[in-house]
Amino acid sequence: MTRSQIIEKLSLSEPVSLKNLYAEANAVKTSTIGNKVYLRGLIEFSNICGKNCYYCGIRRENQALKRYELSDEEVLAAVDFAWKNRYGSVVLQSGEQQSARFTSRITRLLHKIKAYTNNELGITLSCGEQAAAIYREWFTAGAHRYLLRIETSNRELFYKLHPNDDKHSFDARLDAIGQLRAEGYQVGTGVMIGLPFQTVEHLADDLLFFQSMNIDMVGMGPYLEHSQTPLYQHRRHLLPPEKRFELSLKMVATLRLLMPDINIAATTALQVLHPEGREMAVLAGANIIMPNMTLPEHRSYYQIYEHKPDINDDATVSKSKLEQYLRDAGITVGYGEWGDSQHFHHER
Ligand code: SAM
Ligand code: SF4
């Protein structure tokens, strides 16, 4: 697809054209990688962060927030739940901490999770930018996928979303994605959609960026404002929520047409803007859902954006509306399967 064809797809607004785009993407997914959805139990194990991204509610300078870090026992309790409910994989996500204590803590947790689940559970990490040697240590300890969103592939826009300093370098983030690949991970990246100052051309370039980076997995969802962040002052320039939602679905569908064999997540942020947001994304080409395993007492402190859905039955997918909806749409859940990116295996 050319850049102008991508822009054309992202600019569609007629209900019939949108329906056709989503259906086409869903058909491409089904014929390429099948129609299963794979689960990753999301464990938000710490909201302590050394960074100050302008959009994020758990940024370092937000002091109106209690900071927490789960104990090993609490992480293992969530792992136990995911494993017994045959999730196949978990994602350990946190704010970005760079310290020897943090590194060795993750390494220890990885060993414990692998031993506890007889190596059956796949583990994805999303713990920010780290040195290549740390990525290697964690890979050796059992992590095999890593999520690190570029947030936007446009350098100028990146610096409207982040301070311009050593801790928030566009080039360092780009390098980190390359290092993760070199260490052997299945690499996931992504962007926020509907940011202030963002144009449809930026988004088209984001999709082409994923393709040029030969990325294995993508997680992208709508930007959602948070009142305790600097970016909140630009909220008047945002698209209305329903348009941000629609644009996110168009991004998912267009990416599926561009990269048929990658893993694409139906992100929780979609659920904030529509009660069936994740399910609709699956029918527009996504194949990964990340039910939230974080305990209710900690969830309220992991508010990267406000109005994060408290999806009560999220953890028990087998009994939830989510599974019923997917089943009604002819989609099966890949219980007990890792659901690796087929792109990763095709490429290597
Ligand atoms: N600290 C790690 C990092 O930044 O890579 C992982 C955790 S961070 C909370 C995960 C993702 O949350 C970020 O990559 C960003 O895209 C997303 N995020 C943060 N604030 C957001 C907001 N206000 N709206 C939508 N997504 C947001
Ligand atoms: Fe920290 Fe990640 Fe939020 Fe940035 S996006 S402030 S690195 S948790």
Side-chain angles (χ1 to χ4, degrees):
M1 237 187 294
T2 62
R3 185 171 184 264
S4 56
Q5 285 169 326
I6 294 175
I7 292 171
E8 210 174 289
K9 294 209 185 295
L10 297 181
S11 308
L12 292 174
S13 62
E14 284 297 313
V16 176
S17 323
L18 290 173
K19 207 167 149 230
N20 289 342
L21 171 66
Y22 304 153
E24 191 191 351
N26 197 33
V28 164
K29 174 186 72 179
T30 306
S31 63
T32 315
I33 57 170
N35 75 347
K36 268 192 196 165
V37 162
Y38 300 98
L39 304 175
R40 282 88 173 89
L42 177 63
I43 306 171
E44 296 154 335
F45 71 89
S46 173
N47 68 353
I48 300 170
C49 187
K51 278 194 167 169
N52 256 325
C53 308
Y54 292 151
Y55 43 83
C56 177
I58 66 171
R59 62 199 299 272
R60 190 184 69 224
E61 280 176 14
N62 182 8
Q63 284 162 7
L65 189 66
K66 188 177 148 209
R67 301 288 168 170
Y68 73 87
E69 188 162 310
L70 299 191
S71 66
D72 285 12
E73 291 67 35
E74 286 170 321
V75 172
L76 282 174
V79 163
D80 180 70
F81 185 92
W83 186 43
K84 299 225 165 102
N85 283 278
R86 308 195 56 242
Y87 272 27
S89 302
V90 287
V91 179
L92 295 182
Q93 191 181 78
S94 69
E96 189 175 299
Q97 293 186 47
Q98 287 168 343
S99 70
R101 187 199 70 83
F102 184 74
T103 304
S104 55
R105 161 124 220 264
I106 303 286
T107 304
R108 190 178 72 230
L109 271 174
L110 291 167
H111 285 302
K112 281 190 178 178
I113 296 170
K114 284 286 168 186
Y116 186 78
T117 66
N118 306 323
N119 204 20
E120 280 174 25
L121 212 54
I123 309 177
T124 306
L125 290 178
S126 176
C127 303
E129 286 165 51
Q130 305 287 342
I134 297 173
Y135 290 147
R136 190 172 317 140
E137 178 175 322
W138 290 345
F139 188 79
T140 309
H144 76 298
R145 309 185 192 110
Y146 205 103
L147 306 175
L148 188 73
R149 289 184 176 180
I150 190 73
E151 315 298 359
T152 171
S153 62
N154 183 282
R155 184 183 293 270
E156 215 177 298
L157 180 57
F158 185 91
Y159 285 114
K160 290 187 173 146
L161 309 176
H162 302 92
N164 192 345
D165 61 22
D166 309 350
K167 267 194 173 292
H168 304 80
S169 151
F170 181 75
D171 290 319
R173 205 147 180 99
L174 215 50
D175 286 350
I177 293 173
Q179 283 158 6
L180 286 164
R181 166 177 300 281
E183 295 305 333
Y185 285 90
Q186 291 176 44
V187 182
T189 191
V191 295
M192 285 173 285
I193 300 162
L195 288 157
F197 318 114
Q198 191 181 45
T199 63
V200 81
E201 286 78 13
H202 289 141
L203 290 169
D205 289 338
D206 289 338
L207 296 183
L208 290 168
F209 167 83
F210 302 149
Q211 191 183 41
S212 71
M213 293 290 286
N214 209 1
I215 222 73
D216 304 304
M217 322 179 285
V218 171
M220 54 186 177
Y223 161 69
L224 300 165
E225 56 274 38
H226 190 301
S227 59
Q228 303 295 321
T229 61
L231 211 59
Y232 193 65
Q233 63 185 297
H234 301 294
R235 63 192 177 283
R236 271 172 223 90
H237 305 298
L238 296 174
L239 287 172
E242 60 281 9
K243 283 286 158 200
R244 251 181 283 165
F245 178 74
E246 187 180 281
L247 191 52
S248 303
L249 285 190
K250 287 189 279 187
M251 282 286 281
V252 166
T254 309
L255 177 60
R256 177 56 73 196
L257 299 179
L258 201 60
M259 301 187 77
D261 61 353
I262 64 168
N263 277 352
I264 304 179
T267 56
T268 312
L270 286 162
Q271 202 86 2
V272 178
L273 298 184
H274 193 294
E276 283 161 358
R278 290 181 304 184
E279 294 86 332
M280 289 164 78
V282 168
L283 294 178
N287 69 323
I288 302 290
I289 290 187
M290 295 159 64
N292 198 322
M293 305 275 95
T294 313
L295 298 169
E297 60 261 42
H298 295 119
R299 267 194 214 181
S300 57
Y301 301 117
Y302 203 87
Q303 294 270 340
I304 50 180
Y305 41 75
E306 281 161 333
H307 315 298
K308 200 170 164 191
D310 188 15
I311 313 170
N312 285 321
D313 63 359
D314 216 34
T316 46
V317 175
S318 60
K319 300 184 195 76
S320 71
K321 282 187 253 137
L322 176 67
E323 198 198 45
Q324 185 61 46
Y325 185 106
L326 294 173
R327 204 178 314 124
D328 291 350
I331 289 165
T332 48
V333 177
Y335 283 114
E337 297 180 55
W338 282 15
D340 278 344
S341 162
Q342 291 195 18
H343 184 78
F344 176 84
H345 294 297
H346 291 156
E347 287 297 307
R348 292 163 181 78

